[in-house]
Amino acid sequence: MSRNADWMDEEDERAEEQAVKGVTANSHAPVLVKKREQEPPRATKGFYIQESYSRSFDRLVFEQKMAKGKKAPELAEEAISLLLEKYGVPLE
């Protein structure tokens, strides 16, 4: 059984055009606006840690995610900040 799905492609194209133009089919309908916080640029650091530290960090990240708290990069930055403070190294 073949189904003609051209109407789906047409609707998809129409929706994309409307998104680019910033208009909707129903101007009175509420529009979902997603606010994205500007995150600072980050660098990847490759290093190896013991399995127990890795599991504990993953658990902490998961708990923070469930509580809508900090994400993994923010938690890692906080840990590095504490290390820098402990050893008297200024943050550049």
Side-chain angles (χ1 to χ4, degrees):
M1 171 190 265
S2 70
R3 293 184 181 173
N4 188 353
D6 290 340
W7 68 271
M8 291 174 60
D9 294 332
E10 292 171 7
E11 281 297 308
D12 191 40
E13 288 176 20
R14 187 178 68 83
E16 287 179 14
E17 288 175 9
Q18 287 183 342
V20 169
K21 293 177 185 175
V23 298
T24 61
N26 181 357
S27 62
H28 299 293
V31 178
L32 177 64
V33 178
K34 293 184 178 182
K35 287 176 55 177
R36 300 191 86 188
E37 294 180 19
Q38 188 67 17
E39 292 189 9
R42 292 193 162 92
T44 302
K45 297 291 181 186
F47 54 87
Y48 297 97
I49 58 175
Q50 296 175 32
E51 186 67 28
S52 59
Y53 288 95
S54 178
R55 281 193 310 269
S56 296
F57 183 73
D58 289 343
R59 187 178 310 114
L60 173 63
V61 170
F62 176 75
E63 289 171 359
Q64 287 296 304
K65 183 177 182 177
M66 292 295 106
K68 306 261 190 259
K70 294 182 179 180
K71 297 179 181 178
E74 296 167 317
L75 292 168
E77 289 170 350
E78 185 176 341
I80 291 170
S81 178
L82 292 170
L83 282 171
L84 294 174
E85 184 179 316
K86 177 181 178 178
Y87 290 103
V89 177
L91 180 65
E92 296 180 11

